[in-house]
Amino acid sequence: MGRGLYSALLYLLSPFIWWRIWREWLPTYKRRQRLGWISRAPHRPLWIHAASVGEIMTARPLIKALIDRYPDSPVVVTTMTATGAEQVKTLFKGEVSHYFLPLDFPCATARFVERLSPRIGIIVETELWPNLVHACARRQVPLALVNGRLSAGATRQYAKVARLMAQTLNHFDWLGIKDAVDAERFTALGAPTEKMVITGGLKFDLAQSDEAQKASEYLLDQWGGRFVWVAASTHDGEDEQVLAAHRRLLAVVPSALLVLVPRHPQRFDDVAQLVSHHGLAMARRSRGEGVTPDIRVYLGDTMGEVMTFYGTASAAFVGGSLVPVGGHNLLEPASLGVPVISGPYLDNFTEIAALLDDADALTHVSSSEHLGQALLAVRADPATAHAQGARGQDVVVAHRGALAATLDGLIPLLPQEAV
């Protein structure tokens, strides 16, 4: 498939695409941004595109580094999802501008790139939009891929349009690839090997901010030494299992506190109702409700605070893994030395899970009963749990360095006046 046929199919499917994208919105934005109608940038910005929450968290250290290194160059971050937009606002607090990425129609992407006029375009992970990339190439915008990764499934899907992917990948000026397996997959799709560098994964360079650390310490002080565990990035069908596991824990440790953090904000109210249905006293973070001695569940219904919550935990369950989603970032709790628990569905994090497994730093569970047993084990033997957490933290530290390698690759693409 060539780009022309790809664009024709997009136009044919546009009613369905627009219906899907209609839900990914915030009231403070104009929907016409999806057609490239953004305000013209007054100065040529550094532009980073990260699809959603996970990619924003991955790119966070890179975005912070660019802000610090190039204080005179404005930074623009684009996302595909509303949750990603909210994450940008929460994490960067006005340090960057945000737009929604336009749909990949030729006119929309050309308009977007012309109005933004970036010094550089930095694409995070796997956002390979052919018309967007082509528009950057036409306007001679240097283009880089960072933390490039391809799952086996994504590689199979992209292989169906191999010619289009080869055209797209050859427009990139630099490709920072996560590891050797991903490099092989990009090469199989036609990526130019001479532009590829294996940098390691940016996820390993994450760190809890001083602000988040202080917030964690404050919460722990308020909670008075209770046994706290976190279930984060949970999905529909998973919260029920988490609450069932918490009930098992409460039968032995009546004062235990669960910090429950659903993955998507549109589910916050539904999860709150579910907690109430289970008869568990709850406080909601978004309402500033305090955790009194009778509270058994603290609902983390805010954006951008997951590292704060992990910092309070004696153990952490990472969601998207007890249901067939593929898992979420195991390294966030591991980086803090928190013992990590996961379900069996880890298709999106197989390499990271393998690293933690090799270090005996990951507990696998397959049901609410197993999750409850794992939590009771942590409570019964805190020394062993602490040692597991320390091994996980060692894995994170040993694999850091991707940020420095990525910045080294990006610097030659930046105009001299921005360096």
Side-chain angles (χ1 to χ4, degrees):
M1 181 189 292
R3 196 170 57 84
L5 180 56
Y6 161 78
S7 299
L9 286 173
L10 277 185
Y11 283 122
L12 184 65
L13 295 171
S14 59
F16 173 75
I17 295 170
W18 190 257
W19 175 79
R20 287 291 301 272
I21 214 71
W22 188 269
R23 299 175 301 173
E24 295 293 343
W25 210 249
L26 294 173
T28 52
Y29 288 79
K30 295 180 179 179
R31 292 189 184 275
R32 62 189 298 187
Q33 282 190 15
R34 292 296 193 185
L35 297 176
W37 290 106
I38 63 170
S39 55
R40 292 186 181 275
H43 305 285
R44 298 187 66 196
L46 311 180
W47 164 46
I48 301 97
H49 173 64
S52 193
V53 174
E55 291 81 3
I56 289 294
M57 293 304 295
T58 295
R60 181 184 183 182
L62 174 61
I63 296 171
K64 286 286 190 182
L66 292 173
I67 292 170
D68 292 341
R69 288 191 176 210
Y70 309 119
D72 296 328
S73 294
V75 174
V76 169
V77 179
T78 56
T79 64
M80 287 296 293
T81 68
T83 54
E86 291 175 327
Q87 189 81 307
V88 170
K89 181 179 178 180
T90 299
L91 291 178
F92 301 107
K93 295 179 172 51
E95 293 181 290
V96 306
S97 300
H98 173 269
Y99 298 109
F100 282 105
L101 194 74
L103 300 175
D104 203 39
F105 302 129
C107 292
T109 53
R111 184 182 300 116
F112 170 82
V113 174
E114 186 271 330
R115 286 174 166 264
L116 187 64
S117 189
R119 293 178 182 271
I120 187 173
I122 301 170
I123 309 299
V124 180
E125 294 197 349
T126 326
E127 287 287 282
L128 303 177
W129 296 106
N131 284 321
L132 179 68
V133 170
H134 179 75
C136 290
R138 285 194 64 183
R139 292 193 65 85
Q140 298 183 325
V141 175
L143 201 59
L145 184 75
V146 301
N147 205 63
R149 68 181 184 94
L150 283 171
S151 66
T155 304
R156 287 192 296 270
Q157 293 300 315
Y158 280 133
K160 296 176 182 178
V161 288
R163 178 185 171 192
L164 179 62
M165 284 300 100
Q167 291 173 345
T168 301
L169 288 165
N170 274 271
H171 282 312
F172 280 86
D173 296 279
W174 186 77
L175 298 157
I177 309 300
K178 183 169 65 65
D179 58 34
V181 173
D182 290 295
E184 289 179 4
R185 291 169 178 167
F186 275 98
T187 300
L189 292 178
T193 56
E194 69 275 11
K195 297 179 181 179
M196 286 172 39
V197 175
I198 296 176
T199 60
L202 277 172
K203 283 183 169 67
F204 289 100
D205 284 272
L206 84 170
Q208 188 184 42
S209 67
D210 292 341
E211 181 183 6
Q213 181 179 355
K214 289 178 182 177
S216 299
E217 293 170 352
Y218 174 81
L219 290 175
L220 282 173
D221 182 63
Q222 296 296 305
W223 296 344
R226 295 170 65 171
F227 179 81
V228 179
W229 72 287
V230 172
S233 296
T234 57
H235 288 253
D236 187 27
E238 207 164 35
D239 305 285
E240 294 88 343
Q241 298 182 69
V242 165
L243 292 172
H246 190 47
R247 282 191 170 279
R248 291 178 180 275
L249 177 64
L250 289 171
V252 180
V253 189
S255 64
L257 178 66
L258 161 64
V259 181
L260 180 55
V261 190
R263 177 70 174 182
H264 298 117
Q266 58 265 36
R267 297 186 58 247
F268 288 162
D269 290 339
D270 290 342
V271 175
Q273 290 179 10
L274 182 65
V275 174
S276 297
H277 179 73
H278 277 255
L280 296 169
M282 173 186 62
R284 297 184 66 162
R285 176 72 167 175
S286 64
R287 298 177 180 177
E289 296 170 347
V291 175
T292 54
D294 63 306
I295 295 297
R296 296 294 174 264
V297 177
Y298 190 54
L299 186 62
D301 54 348
T302 55
M303 296 296 295
E305 290 196 291
V306 71
M307 292 297 284
T308 291
F309 298 137
Y310 279 139
T312 69
S314 295
F317 167 75
V318 182
S321 60
L322 274 175
V323 291
V325 170
H328 292 296
N329 194 350
L330 303 170
L331 297 177
E332 289 174 335
S335 71
L336 301 178
V338 177
V340 184
I341 305 170
S342 173
Y345 299 103
L346 287 170
D347 293 350
N348 297 332
F349 289 88
T350 53
E351 295 90 350
I352 288 173
L355 288 171
L356 293 174
D357 279 333
D358 289 345
D360 192 20
L362 179 61
T363 299
H364 294 268
V365 299
S366 58
S367 67
S368 61
E369 181 179 0
H370 291 161
L371 177 56
Q373 292 170 353
L375 294 167
L376 287 169
V378 170
R379 172 65 175 177
D381 191 353
T384 297
H386 178 78
Q388 176 185 327
R391 291 192 297 271
Q393 192 171 39
D394 288 344
V395 169
V396 176
V397 171
H399 287 83
R400 282 179 176 157
L403 177 59
T406 298
L407 288 169
D408 286 345
L410 294 178
I411 287 173
L413 302 181
L414 288 163
Q416 189 60 41
E417 64 268 23
V419 176

